[in-house]
Amino acid sequence: MPEITYVAVDGTARSIDVPVGTTVMRGAVFNDIDGIVAQCAGNAQCATCHVYVDDTTIDRLDPARPDEDDLLDFTASPRRPSSRLSCRLTVTAALDGLIVHLPERQK
């Protein structure tokens, strides 16, 4: 299983094995990672699963689709070039080692 690392605001990192086909958001929710609210349950409607993808692993991702890009304008924490919605990041073998940083707040 690919390993995804979630880094809290305080710098604490927690690495989780997330099944292929699962989203980075669901990996966090199923493993009680604080900092991802997922209020809309992964339907790309609320932007409460916002993450900052680490610069060392961002090149593994496809660009954000237009619907995700639009929602990123409504995140509670500032949007950055590395901002993504974790509900739109489906885990593949290529994402093994992905690192995401959790924002200060989600709503």
Side-chain angles (χ1 to χ4, degrees):
M1 262 189 275
E3 183 180 81
I4 309 297
T5 300
Y6 301 84
V7 182
V9 175
D10 69 3
T12 304
R14 185 166 165 211
S15 296
I16 306 286
D17 290 332
V18 180
V20 168
T22 304
T23 63
V24 172
M25 180 213 74
R26 291 212 183 277
V29 170
F30 292 157
N31 289 282
D32 299 317
I33 300 288
D34 287 331
I36 293 185
V37 176
Q39 195 167 17
C40 73
N43 291 307
Q45 296 175 338
C46 68
T48 61
C49 65
H50 176 215
V51 295
Y52 302 117
V53 180
D54 195 86
D55 290 340
T56 63
T57 58
I58 198 163
D59 61 337
R60 299 180 192 185
L61 303 176
D62 291 330
R65 295 188 323 232
D67 61 335
E68 178 185 359
D69 189 55
D70 290 344
L71 274 171
L72 287 167
D73 288 334
F74 300 98
T75 57
S77 290
R79 181 180 183 165
R80 298 180 188 164
S82 64
S83 287
R84 295 299 298 266
L85 297 181
S86 60
C87 71
R88 292 292 158 237
L89 303 178
T90 301
V91 176
T92 64
L95 293 188
D96 185 38
L98 184 74
I99 302 167
V100 295
H101 298 267
L102 303 171
E104 190 172 312
R105 59 191 180 99
Q106 292 285 6
K107 55 181 183 167

